Amino acid sequence: MPNPQTPAGPEDTSGNTATEEEETPGAAPSAPEREEAPRPRRRPAAAWPVLPLLVALALWAYALGHTDVSQLDDFGLVSAVHPAFWAGLAVLTGGFWFTVRAPRRAQGWSAAYVVGLLLMERTTQALVYPTPLYAWAWKHDAVVGHLLTAGGLQTEAEIGEMAVYDQWPGFFAAQAALVRLLGVDNAAMYMAWWPLVSSLALLLPLLLVYRTFTTDRRLIWTALWLFHVANWVGQDYFSPQSVAFVLHVGVLAVVLRRYGGRRGHACRPRTAVWAVLLTVLVTTIVVSHQLTPGMLVVSLLALCLARRYRDWVPAATAVVLFLAWCLTAALPFLSAAMPDLIRSVGDIGGNVETGYGATPTGTGALATSWAARLLSGAVLLLAALGVLRQPVLRYRALPLLLIAAAPLPMFVAGSYGSEMIFRVLMFMLPGAAFFAGAALLPRVRTLAAGLAARETAGRPAAPPRRRLRLPGLAYGVWAPPLALLAGTLAFVPAYSGKDRINYFPPAEVALVRGLFDQAPAGSLVVAANRNYPLAFEAYGSVDHYWFLEDGREHVDRIVRSPAATLARDMSAVEPPGRAYLLLTRGQVADSEMNGRLDGAQLERVRRSVAASPRFRPVAENSAGTVWVLEPAAGPVEGASR
């Protein structure tokens, strides 16, 4: 029989009462033993969460072996991946939910599920595609390679518009050192795995941020899950933004945990170590990326609105370092860009407008675009619902609410190449995911609430606050797991739905690499757009021209008379340089899916060039063709571009 003196276990917030194990009959415990709470024996059933996790990973492994990406359609990886992948995601999500909602279960299981989610989300592409994704990642690899060969930073007079990367060289200098340290040829050898690395690196700072406001393990890990599910923007690839964002969240973690004081108490002690760490993190962000320092400044200023974090040292440090860099190393770029920056201030409509050549076109592109919008909208709505349903969080976690809202004014600042809306969403996520997780859970515990309860012990109890209750939604039964599953599945089209654009098969990589291997210094490479691998290879000695970035009138002229117009545009190259025209599948996919030229128009360009005596094919395979412009018999009039 159970010992009648054994106290009942603490009441679990999901409504279940946890009880201790029955004591083994025998001698009565000694006095010291009576004072210690009896430890429950480990039950074999406590290890059941491993079963769904293993099943999910097994289904994922099976799907990887049966996925064919050789013929991607407009739905990208969504239609190419084996159905077992979707089943694995469903099993993983279900196992996570029933594991995380038990507040006394070891949080190592929740961590294992989140890592499993990152493996399935962020490494599937690295495993099914034989080459790295994203033209921008290949561009950053070219910057690293140029830094290694040039041996130092260069100016706009030497390398043109690419000098902007030499004015924010932190990420590229670190990658150049890493390439040398690993002894590899270039960053392309490992950049396919960068999404996983950058996502795993976010776990620790996010964990520290969330633990600042709650001891509820369910809320912490649900928020982490939702953050990674909602972070579909794609800035986790091989880029300065991926590292700067991790450091941004790291700075927030340091400030929230070391620069905050409770009302009526002194602030936590701040040693020189934390001041130095904060300065190093902010400096690394400032020298690596243009936008992230601005986002960091507005976030730190927003924190100053909360009484507990009214410490101006972090914000002042960020502002001083940011301005110092802008007025020195980055001044050449900012001086040239300042007129456009000033014109865009306050133009919210123009700052969020995508413009020509960035509008999804076709069933697949539209479907994946709407999946991304609905996923983001759902998470933001859940965050608003969490603020309403959990009144204690509106006060105890107010700094996270401020952090979530802080990026919104950046819409006024500029368009950032029509990407501001995506960057604002990404910087809102750390705070928004926390409140969205709270919407999926019953009453949550906060760290400050527990401290306040101990401080006010013995005082008359205050009347309980009324929480928002939505009739018809059984929050502990079906609504939360279905919402979690829907968001997890929606991540795939939002993140991988444009892989027809982002994936370059080995044949395309080989074709472009062969072109740059034979192009003499001073050559010109012409292409429809920048969406091909190695697009910026050898940019220190080879010029580039993408005709779809010209005005619409000139593009229409190329479509009407492709060979003649392109020949005039390319004829100004001086020997020993050569003028090359490159058309590849990646350019066709980008043009079609982003509303530039359709397949028939691009095929007209290809046929006209192929039939022209002015162009001679020098390389061709299944991914595209390279032509070289032959010298004209006489002078060509109107040669310009």
Side-chain angles (χ1 to χ4, degrees), residues 152-303:
L153 306 180
Q154 294 183 307
T155 64
E156 185 176 4
E158 296 171 296
I159 53 176
E161 65 177 16
M162 295 299 289
V164 64
Y165 293 98
D166 285 35
Q167 293 167 41
W168 276 276
F171 172 80
F172 303 106
Q175 294 305 315
L178 183 60
V179 167
R180 289 279 176 85
L181 180 65
L182 296 177
V184 295
D185 294 335
N186 48 52
M189 304 297 292
Y190 58 80
M191 67 186 185
W193 298 95
W194 201 260
L196 176 64
V197 173
S198 60
S199 298
L200 289 173
L202 276 167
L203 287 179
L204 178 59
L206 284 171
L207 187 64
L208 293 174
V209 168
Y210 295 153
R211 284 178 60 86
T212 305
F213 301 101
T214 182
T215 57
D216 195 322
R217 297 175 179 177
R218 300 169 307 167
L219 177 55
I220 292 172
W221 291 104
T222 303
L224 283 167
W225 183 283
L226 285 173
F227 172 86
H228 288 290
V229 162
N231 191 19
W232 60 266
V233 175
Q235 295 303 315
D236 54 0
Y237 71 102
F238 183 73
S239 65
Q241 176 70 95
S242 64
V243 175
F245 185 62
V246 173
L247 298 176
H248 169 86
V249 181
V251 170
L252 295 179
V254 171
V255 173
L256 290 172
R257 296 184 70 85
R258 290 295 169 181
Y259 285 81
R262 298 186 298 276
R263 279 178 283 182
H265 292 75
C267 294
R268 297 184 180 187
R270 299 191 297 271
T271 64
V273 173
W274 296 109
V276 170
L277 177 61
L278 185 67
T279 303
V280 169
L281 292 177
V282 174
T283 302
T284 307
I285 293 172
V286 166
V287 303
S288 299
H289 197 243
Q290 302 98 326
L291 180 65
T292 305
M295 290 290 191
L296 180 63
V297 167
V298 297
S299 296
L300 295 177
L301 290 175
L303 278 179

Side-chain angles (χ1 to χ4, degrees), residues 10-379:
E11 188 175 74
D12 145 81
T13 55
S14 61
N16 301 324
T17 301
T19 59
E20 301 291 339
E21 283 287 304
E22 294 184 352
E23 293 184 358
T24 304
S30 62
E33 291 175 336
R34 290 193 191 100
E35 297 175 359
E36 297 181 1
R39 296 181 179 178
R41 293 177 301 188
R42 187 179 299 276
R43 300 179 182 179
W48 75 262
V50 74
L51 297 178
L53 181 60
L54 291 179
V55 170
L57 294 178
L59 289 169
W60 174 54
Y62 180 84
L64 292 178
H66 294 79
T67 295
D68 181 13
V69 296
S70 60
Q71 298 294 328
L72 292 176
D73 59 19
D74 285 356
F75 290 90
L77 190 64
V78 177
S79 58
V81 74
H82 191 274
F85 176 80
W86 302 99
L89 272 181
V91 172
L92 186 77
T93 306
F96 169 77
W97 176 251
F98 288 104
T99 298
V100 78
R101 76 189 188 104
R104 300 185 61 190
R105 191 176 303 283
Q107 60 180 331
W109 289 114
S110 301
Y113 273 93
V114 171
V115 172
L117 174 72
L118 294 181
L119 288 174
M120 295 183 69
E121 282 184 346
R122 262 69 182 188
T123 64
T124 297
Q125 293 168 310
L127 293 170
V128 299
Y129 296 125
T131 58
L133 296 181
Y134 303 114
W136 285 97
W138 287 94
K139 178 180 182 179
H140 295 152
D141 176 45
V143 176
V144 175
H146 178 76
L147 193 60
L148 286 169
T149 55
L153 306 180
Q154 294 183 307
T155 64
E156 185 176 4
E158 296 171 296
I159 53 176
E161 65 177 16
M162 295 299 289
V164 64
Y165 293 98
D166 285 35
Q167 293 167 41
W168 276 276
F171 172 80
F172 303 106
Q175 294 305 315
L178 183 60
V179 167
R180 289 279 176 85
L181 180 65
L182 296 177
V184 295
D185 294 335
N186 48 52
M189 304 297 292
Y190 58 80
M191 67 186 185
W193 298 95
W194 201 260
L196 176 64
V197 173
S198 60
S199 298
L200 289 173
L202 276 167
L203 287 179
L204 178 59
L206 284 171
L207 187 64
L208 293 174
V209 168
Y210 295 153
R211 284 178 60 86
T212 305
F213 301 101
T214 182
T215 57
D216 195 322
R217 297 175 179 177
R218 300 169 307 167
L219 177 55
I220 292 172
W221 291 104
T222 303
L224 283 167
W225 183 283
L226 285 173
F227 172 86
H228 288 290
V229 162
N231 191 19
W232 60 266
V233 175
Q235 295 303 315
D236 54 0
Y237 71 102
F238 183 73
S239 65
Q241 176 70 95
S242 64
V243 175
F245 185 62
V246 173
L247 298 176
H248 169 86
V249 181
V251 170
L252 295 179
V254 171
V255 173
L256 290 172
R257 296 184 70 85
R258 290 295 169 181
Y259 285 81
R262 298 186 298 276
R263 279 178 283 182
H265 292 75
C267 294
R268 297 184 180 187
R270 299 191 297 271
T271 64
V273 173
W274 296 109
V276 170
L277 177 61
L278 185 67
T279 303
V280 169
L281 292 177
V282 174
T283 302
T284 307
I285 293 172
V286 166
V287 303
S288 299
H289 197 243
Q290 302 98 326
L291 180 65
T292 305
M295 290 290 191
L296 180 63
V297 167
V298 297
S299 296
L300 295 177
L301 290 175
L303 278 179
C304 293
L305 298 177
R307 183 178 303 178
R308 181 178 177 183
Y309 293 95
R310 199 160 294 167
D311 190 326
W312 295 94
V313 171
T317 301
V319 169
V320 169
L321 291 173
F322 187 28
L323 288 178
W325 188 260
C326 290
L327 295 176
T328 54
L331 188 59
F333 169 79
L334 293 176
S335 299
M338 191 58 66
D340 290 335
L341 292 175
I342 294 175
R343 280 194 297 269
S344 65
V345 172
D347 184 14
I348 299 178
N351 292 341
V352 299
E353 185 179 3
T354 54
Y356 165 67
T359 304
T361 304
T363 304
L366 288 172
T368 56
S369 177
W370 274 106
R373 296 177 187 179
L374 292 174
L375 175 57
S376 298
V379 171

